[in-house]
Amino acid sequence: MNTLAALLPKGTVITDPDILAGYRQDRALDPEAGTPLALVRPTTTEQVSETVRWANENRVPVVPRGAGTGLSGGATAQDGALLLSTERMREISVDPVTRTAIAQPGLLNAEVKRAVAEHGLWYPPDPSSFEICSIGGNAATNAGGLCCVKYGVTTDYVLGMQVVLADGTAVRLGGPRLKDSAGLSLTKLFVGSEGTLGIITELTLRLLPAQPPQSTVVATFSTLTAATEAILGVTGRLRPSMLEFMDSVAINAVEDELRMGLDRSAAALLVARSDAPGEHAAEEAAVIVAACEKAGAVEVFSTEDAEEGEAFTAARRFAIPAVERRGTLLLEDVGVPLPRLGELVAGIAEIAARRDVLVSVIAHAGDGNTHPLIVHDPHDPDETARAHLAFGEIMELAIALGGTITGEHGVGRLKKAWLPDQLGPDVMDLTRRIKDALDPHGILNPGAVL
């Protein structure tokens, strides 16, 4: 380690065991986390290159890490590996003429939003954890969020990047061009690769004009079936700027904490928004109201008041931490084609009953991406075992319904056992060939995805 430390500015390489302990896991709390050799916190691409070059020459694994908010164990430390944190890489520049920003990966999603908002612009991808997750981690997992139903996910806003390859070479891909068909689409290859192909040190992001004011519709339902019918009724007519789902467990968990008058007797709650320009937002809100009423909503509330609308959005964002107060969570993000959403929600309820575990379902309902939250007591071995069985069965159900084991959190280490069932042997072989070509010694994030 002394050799690596000598290559980098003082304080960049950290070996203090107490500090390392705080970096061993991401939010997935992977119990298999190892003991890293050291933590490296670079501030420049050149320092990342020096680190990876040294690691490659010495065959030392490197686990990239952003803000540590990942939910699939993608940043779990490995025994004898370097943890490379991008948290100190925090520069950003905004070009309002081309509507692009060049951002280092350590910036939080919310910080990017604030920086571009000063120029009247907007960066749309908005994970529920946008206030604490990093833009680099978002790119590594191809993160989504609440507005993805209309505006798409991270990859739709990454025009280019600088990435350090496994041998330490830094390459630039793409750039501030809205159209570019020169060569292979390598930028897209690295977005969502979870640090297994290279380490992203800079992102060129596409920006939009500031989002228009939104109208908000909130509806409660006495059955899950009615709620999923309403979702299909809405998406069959229009594409809202948000369409979110909370089940009864989430509703009550949020109400326990926020005391905002949510209907505790409801089986499901939908929060939908429209940001269509001018009077069209109210027209779209009326379509959403009609779809909910046709599906048998118990109550439907519509508002154009920004503060009221944001309060319900904040309640949905708070669902995961609220449910988490009931026990340790195994978090999933399975997704299915929209017509199969009702089967997925019903199937998850059946799995929860059969395994006798509490499972709360929240969802980015407009694009079929659900977040089953499996609650268990880690001090109860039998319940923990049942929770892990349910975890696997929910992914198997999603695959059987033509869906995916991860819509936005990534495969990481917690879900990789189910990846072959979704992709099949030919695609898995192709994936390994790409990994072997770019990382022949297997030093980048070993144990993740493959």
Side-chain angles (χ1 to χ4, degrees):
M1 289 311 305
N2 291 336
T3 306
L4 176 60
L7 295 172
L8 301 170
K10 184 178 179 180
T12 303
V13 179
I14 298 170
T15 56
D16 184 327
D18 292 334
I19 296 177
L20 294 182
Y23 286 80
R24 291 177 60 246
Q25 298 170 308
D26 57 19
R27 198 178 172 196
L29 300 178
D30 184 353
E32 303 299 321
T35 301
L37 180 65
L39 169 68
V40 183
R41 298 192 298 177
T43 58
T44 67
T45 296
E46 291 72 23
Q47 291 171 16
V48 175
S49 292
E50 288 281 9
T51 301
V52 176
R53 187 176 299 112
W54 178 91
N56 187 56
E57 291 172 353
N58 291 276
R59 304 295 188 264
V60 175
V62 179
V63 177
R65 177 187 171 94
T69 60
L71 295 168
S72 61
T76 299
Q78 304 296 289
D79 287 335
L82 295 179
L83 276 175
L84 194 152
S85 171
T86 60
E87 64 188 314
R88 296 173 63 195
M89 304 181 72
R90 297 179 43 77
E91 294 183 2
I92 185 170
S93 62
V94 181
D95 183 351
V97 176
T98 60
R99 291 182 183 168
T100 60
I102 297 176
Q104 285 190 313
L107 285 162
L108 302 183
N109 180 292
E111 291 175 326
V112 172
K113 290 184 185 298
R114 287 195 293 268
V116 305
E118 293 178 4
H119 300 270
L121 298 171
W122 177 43
Y123 176 70
D126 62 338
S128 293
S129 59
F130 78 105
E131 294 177 320
I132 59 173
C133 63
S134 72
I135 201 72
N138 290 174
T141 59
N142 194 22
L146 279 67
C147 72
C148 293
V149 57
K150 181 173 183 177
Y151 289 100
V153 296
T154 300
T155 191
D156 300 307
Y157 296 88
V158 176
L159 295 173
M161 65 173 61
Q162 189 168 34
V163 59
V164 174
L165 304 178
D167 64 358
T169 302
V171 296
R172 286 194 175 276
L173 305 173
R177 301 172 291 275
L178 295 181
K179 295 175 70 176
D180 188 348
S181 295
L184 300 178
S185 183
L186 296 177
T187 303
K188 299 294 185 183
L189 177 65
F190 284 91
V191 176
S193 64
E194 302 186 46
T196 62
L197 303 181
I199 299 174
I200 297 169
T201 61
E202 183 183 281
L203 290 160
T204 301
L205 303 172
R206 179 170 71 96
L207 308 174
L208 299 183
Q211 189 177 25
Q214 299 189 79
S215 295
T216 304
V217 176
V218 181
T220 56
F221 300 84
S222 60
T223 67
L224 296 176
T225 299
T228 55
E229 288 178 355
I231 292 164
L232 294 178
V234 171
T235 56
R237 292 285 307 279
L238 55 87
R239 182 170 293 182
S241 56
M242 189 177 81
L243 182 53
E244 296 291 307
F245 169 96
M246 294 165 57
D247 71 359
S248 61
V249 176
I251 293 168
N252 280 275
V254 169
E255 183 63 16
D256 285 345
E257 303 297 330
L258 301 185
R259 305 291 181 182
M260 58 186 297
L262 300 180
D263 182 359
R264 290 185 178 274
S265 67
L269 179 147
L270 294 184
V271 181
R273 307 189 83 173
S274 169
D275 65 356
E279 63 185 20
H280 296 297
E283 294 173 358
E284 287 195 353
V287 172
I288 297 169
V289 168
C292 292
E293 291 177 340
K294 182 178 180 180
V298 174
E299 183 179 9
V300 184
F301 168 76
S302 180
T303 181
E304 295 182 15
D305 184 274
E307 290 188 5
E308 282 185 320
E310 190 54 38
F312 284 104
T313 302
R316 164 59 188 86
R317 291 188 189 277
F318 188 62
I320 291 179
V323 174
E324 193 169 20
R325 298 185 185 188
R326 301 195 172 192
T328 297
L329 299 186
L330 286 172
L331 297 99
E332 301 203 58
D333 67 322
V334 294
V336 292
L338 272 174
R340 313 301 295 271
L341 182 60
E343 294 174 77
L344 177 64
V345 173
I348 292 170
E350 189 277 327
I351 290 170
R354 176 159 44 83
R355 293 301 179 188
D356 190 24
V357 291
L358 179 64
V359 181
S360 176
V361 177
I362 58 178
H364 306 309
D367 53 27
N369 185 189
T370 70
H371 294 306
L373 313 175
I374 306 169
V375 184
H376 68 101
D377 179 358
H379 302 295
D380 182 338
D382 183 64
E383 184 177 68
T384 298
R386 297 197 310 274
H388 280 275
L389 287 172
F391 182 82
E393 289 172 348
I394 289 171
M395 284 189 282
E396 291 164 1
L397 172 63
I399 294 169
L401 294 174
T404 177
I405 61 174
T406 174
E408 58 186 5
H409 293 168
V411 175
R413 291 171 176 81
L414 301 189
K415 303 172 194 171
K416 67 176 184 177
W418 290 271
L419 186 62
D421 292 336
Q422 177 181 332
L423 300 185
D426 292 340
V427 176
M428 286 298 297
D429 179 63
L430 178 59
T431 303
R432 289 191 186 95
R433 285 159 58 192
I434 294 171
K435 167 69 170 173
D436 291 343
L438 291 176
D439 182 17
H441 299 303
I443 69 163
L444 293 180
N445 216 5
V449 183
L450 295 173

